[in-house]
Amino acid sequence: RVKDVIGYSTQAMEVAYPESALSNWFIDIIMARTEELMGKKVDVGIGNFGGIRIDMPQGDIILDDMLSMFPFKNQIVYVEHKGKEIRKILEGVRVVVEDGKLVSAEIGGEQIDDDKVYGLATISFLLTGGDGLSLADNALSVTVFENEDIIDAVLAHVNAETAAGRPIEYKMDGRVTV
């Protein structure tokens, strides 16, 4: 079963920092699935590059590719944070921004409002210290979907695209600029 072809990718997608087509594809799937599960808008998605273990091959995608790409038992999580907490999270990420300061941060094309409540989609590993992030800290609410591993969302997406006759493809869109 792990050698079954489950999809087709028009291009190889590699994990690359600070942004890649593969990481964008993954986080957008997680955001969409979280929105479905919560029935609430998801404004932000945060994942980790270490959670994507191999690159997407060009051509046939077999089940083993996906299982190897996302091998960890991480659940999908919805977190509500005020804008000021989102800003702290972004400033705490280990990236070099102009002079070590967050120059600009937008959600939905608008500057972060420190007092607005935003919905955040993420993975359980990043809630309490994974990769140095503690996304549950100071949260207004946290909902962990215990029966919804990230691989479930990814496989459902690949299966839906394949059933619709669409290949797996994605692109970078400039959402992260360092």
Side-chain angles (χ1 to χ4, degrees):
R1 178 166 152 12
V2 296
K3 298 301 179 190
D4 289 351
V5 175
I6 61 170
Y8 182 85
S9 178
T10 59
Q11 62 189 352
M13 290 189 280
E14 299 176 356
V15 175
Y17 177 84
E19 177 187 8
S20 69
L22 183 55
S23 61
N24 287 356
W25 176 75
F26 167 66
I27 206 64
D28 286 352
I29 290 169
I30 297 305
M31 289 175 67
R33 184 61 181 141
T34 303
E35 217 167 71
E36 288 174 20
L37 291 167
M38 279 304 295
K40 289 183 173 184
K41 183 170 176 19
V42 170
D43 303 292
V44 180
I46 297 179
N48 63 320
F49 287 101
I52 304 172
R53 300 309 276 192
I54 66 168
D55 298 330
M56 175 74 74
Q58 181 176 6
D60 287 342
I61 301 167
I62 62 173
L63 178 57
D64 191 40
D65 293 328
M66 295 293 99
L67 297 174
S68 296
M69 195 176 299
F70 303 103
F72 303 111
K73 295 288 290 176
N74 287 302
Q75 289 78 44
I76 290 176
V77 180
Y78 177 81
V79 182
E80 286 183 325
H81 271 297
K82 284 201 171 186
K84 65 182 178 181
E85 295 302 325
I86 298 285
R87 187 179 307 280
K88 286 179 190 174
I89 290 165
L90 295 176
E91 287 177 339
V93 174
R94 291 186 192 119
V95 296
V96 177
V97 183
E98 191 171 309
D99 296 324
K101 297 289 181 185
L102 186 63
V103 175
S104 174
E106 296 180 356
I107 295 176
E110 298 180 7
Q111 288 293 318
I112 294 175
D113 177 340
D114 285 348
D115 296 317
K116 182 177 177 181
V117 176
Y118 294 97
L120 167 70
T122 191
I123 63 173
S124 53
F125 175 70
L126 300 178
L127 285 180
T128 57
D131 276 353
L133 293 175
S134 295
L135 300 180
D137 288 1
N138 301 316
L140 300 174
S141 72
V142 175
T143 304
V144 178
F145 295 95
E146 298 288 343
N147 296 318
E148 189 78 23
D149 291 344
I150 59 174
I151 188 64
D152 299 328
V154 170
L155 288 175
H157 175 80
V158 170
N159 291 335
E161 292 298 289
T162 300
R166 293 187 294 264
I168 302 303
E169 52 190 4
Y170 229 67
K171 63 187 180 325
M172 294 190 334
D173 56 18
R175 66 182 73 181
V176 179
T177 303
V178 178

